[in-house]
Amino acid sequence: LFNCTSPEIVREAMPVLRAAAPADVLVGGYANGFVTAASGQGEYRDLSPEEYLDSFVRPWISSGASVVGGCCGIFPKHIQAIHHGLKCETNGAMEECMGA
């Protein structure tokens, strides 16, 4: 599980972790809401829940993640968006979920 690193790092590293881990091992990521600056220090950015889900969480899942969430700077509204978005996809009820 990648924890407390920028979502871009998780996106890049997830396929590598999935390939290295045995098939029966769950892999995933709990990224933070920061971007690592050239100085090596994190800078907070205000990711919308939808941006976090669409730009990061969905690509992680496509790369093999089965455990997803968030860490520092990822708030309940982000987790709620993940839950809602994945629930709608899993239940095949995207039409009902649109705009909800």
Side-chain angles (χ1 to χ4, degrees), residues 5-30:
T5 190
S6 69
E8 291 85 0
I9 297 298
V10 176
R11 185 175 55 209
E12 293 299 315
M14 191 60 64
V16 177
L17 179 61
R18 179 68 279 160
D24 62 337
V25 172
L26 301 177
V27 299
Y30 289 177

Side-chain angles (χ1 to χ4, degrees), residues 6 32-45:
S6 69
N32 61 37
F34 297 85
V35 62
T36 302
S39 67
Q41 296 183 8
E43 297 176 4
Y44 178 71
R45 60 184 157 175

Side-chain angles (χ1 to χ4, degrees), residues 35-68:
V35 62
T36 302
S39 67
Q41 296 183 8
E43 297 176 4
Y44 178 71
R45 60 184 157 175
D46 191 15
L47 289 170
S48 74
E50 295 77 18
E51 181 182 8
Y52 188 67
L53 173 62
D54 294 335
S55 297
F56 301 111
V57 174
R58 285 193 169 112
W60 302 343
I61 292 169
S62 294
S63 294
S66 52
V67 179
V68 294

